[in-house]
Amino acid sequence: SIPFTKTWNTTAGAVFNIDAYTSLANDSNHSNDTTHSTYTVNALPIVKFGYIKACLNDTVQFLDSSSAVATIKSHAWTFGNKLKSSLTNPKTLYTSVGKYDVQLKIKDANGCMDSLTKTVSIDSVSAHFTWSGDRSYGEYFKANDSTLKSYTWDFGDSATGTGNKPFHQYKVDGKYDVTLSVINSLGCGNSLKTSIYVLMVAIQNQTSNNTISFYPNPASDKLYIDASLVRVSARAATITDMTGKVLITQQVHSTQSMIDVSHLAKGMYLLRYDGNVVKFVKE
């Protein structure tokens, strides 16, 4: 064998002509000691690919942009989520946030191959929000994440809004299904629908006698009746659903009493006591 002192780059492919001959002292005739060979080297294919919307629980579209002199005959994808594909531009679904090594191998008509591995980060976005009411019959809403690209609100009464901290004024009390839809900077989206209960007036102001108050509203476990400024004899307090069905009846013997509402389902109810009918929310 004869070593070459120079490295040949055959990546792009070419036709190589090689002449070899011997050099002997006092030999001026090279016609009998020279050989000629021609070699054709096929160009390697070059793998390139990208992807669209690497989002949790969303279809990720992969796009092949590989190039080759000869026709690309096969694609072999592995997505890092135990799934594979032989399509040119496949799709896959990721159900967990994290980093995934995605590999594409291609082979052209000459049998030449190339491969590329990229790390794909799967992102998620949260559409959670909080709200609080005020005495002007309105609700302040606030998205938990203030760094997102867009916020779209459906307040459940045919009204909509934008921004991460909108204010909305309802015209009547009741239950409203509020939906927040968000999109982050990577194009990942999510939405959340939550039912809220709107009361036009605070519970303390719904009584016909301002010396009697009821609290808190909303209530989670206990509802209190405060009649400390009036003379109270034994009276019955009742709680009904919005159809009037009696759910709780309790005798009240003191100026400050408590009614256990922990077993009630979440929703809106009516409290009747001493000639008063008030609305409250169980949360």
Side-chain angles (χ1 to χ4, degrees):
S1 62
I2 302 174
F4 290 91
T5 59
K6 183 179 179 180
T7 301
W8 294 355
N9 185 352
T10 61
T11 302
V15 176
F16 295 90
N17 295 306
I18 301 175
D19 292 318
Y21 60 89
T22 60
S23 180
L24 298 175
N26 302 317
D27 183 3
S28 60
N29 182 12
H30 299 300
S31 62
N32 61 352
D33 55 12
T34 301
T35 183
H36 176 81
S37 298
T38 299
Y39 296 91
T40 300
V41 178
N42 296 317
L44 285 175
I46 306 299
V47 173
K48 291 182 180 180
F49 70 87
Y51 54 90
I52 300 174
K53 288 185 65 177
C55 305
L56 180 67
N57 295 322
D58 197 359
T59 300
V60 181
Q61 172 74 68
F62 288 92
L63 301 174
D64 173 41
S65 57
S66 303
S67 59
V69 174
T71 303
I72 297 175
K73 289 294 186 179
S74 67
H75 296 75
W77 295 84
T78 56
F79 301 115
N81 59 354
K82 299 182 180 180
L83 298 178
K84 299 180 180 182
S85 177
S86 59
L87 299 177
T88 303
N89 299 307
K91 299 178 181 179
T92 192
L93 181 70
Y94 294 95
T95 58
S96 298
V97 172
K99 296 182 182 294
Y100 297 84
D101 290 333
V102 178
Q103 184 183 70
L104 170 59
K105 294 181 180 180
I106 62 173
K107 181 187 289 188
D108 66 15
N110 295 321
C112 299
M113 296 181 292
D114 192 21
S115 66
L116 176 65
T117 300
K118 286 185 177 182
T119 299
V120 176
S121 297
I122 301 301
D123 190 32
S124 66
V125 57
S126 170
H128 293 294
F129 63 92
T130 59
W131 68 95
S132 60
D134 76 348
R135 297 298 176 84
S136 62
Y137 311 161
E139 295 286 334
Y140 290 95
F141 294 90
K142 181 179 180 182
N144 288 11
D145 190 342
S146 62
T147 65
L148 304 179
K149 183 178 181 180
S150 70
Y151 306 81
T152 303
W153 299 83
D154 182 340
F155 297 115
D157 61 349
S158 300
T160 60
T162 59
N164 69 306
K165 294 191 297 184
F167 173 81
H168 179 62
Q169 190 170 21
Y170 290 95
K171 295 180 180 179
V172 296
D173 59 356
K175 174 184 175 183
Y176 295 90
D177 292 330
V178 179
T179 302
L180 169 62
S181 300
V182 296
I183 299 176
N184 68 5
S185 59
L186 299 177
C188 299
N190 198 2
S191 62
L192 177 68
K193 178 185 288 187
T194 299
S195 296
I196 72 169
Y197 297 87
V198 176
L199 297 179
M200 289 299 147
V201 186
I203 196 167
Q204 292 91 333
N205 296 333
Q206 293 184 34
T207 65
S208 60
N209 185 340
N210 59 14
T211 59
I212 301 175
S213 61
F214 306 83
Y215 63 92
N217 185 23
S220 57
D221 298 318
K222 299 176 178 63
L223 184 66
Y224 293 92
I225 300 174
D226 187 349
S228 57
L229 299 181
V230 298
R231 183 176 180 180
V232 177
S233 58
R235 296 184 178 94
T238 61
I239 293 177
T240 71
D241 61 19
M242 298 304 292
T243 68
K245 180 182 178 180
V246 177
L247 304 175
I248 299 175
T249 299
Q250 181 173 315
Q251 292 296 317
V252 176
H253 298 279
S254 63
T255 56
Q256 292 183 327
S257 302
M258 182 273 291
I259 301 176
D260 184 2
V261 296
S262 60
H263 62 285
L264 295 180
K266 293 182 179 180
M268 187 176 294
Y269 297 90
L270 298 175
L271 170 65
R272 302 172 186 272
Y273 176 72
D274 193 28
N276 300 284
V277 180
V278 295
K279 300 172 184 176
F280 75 95
V281 173
K282 168 63 170 59
E283 63 179 7

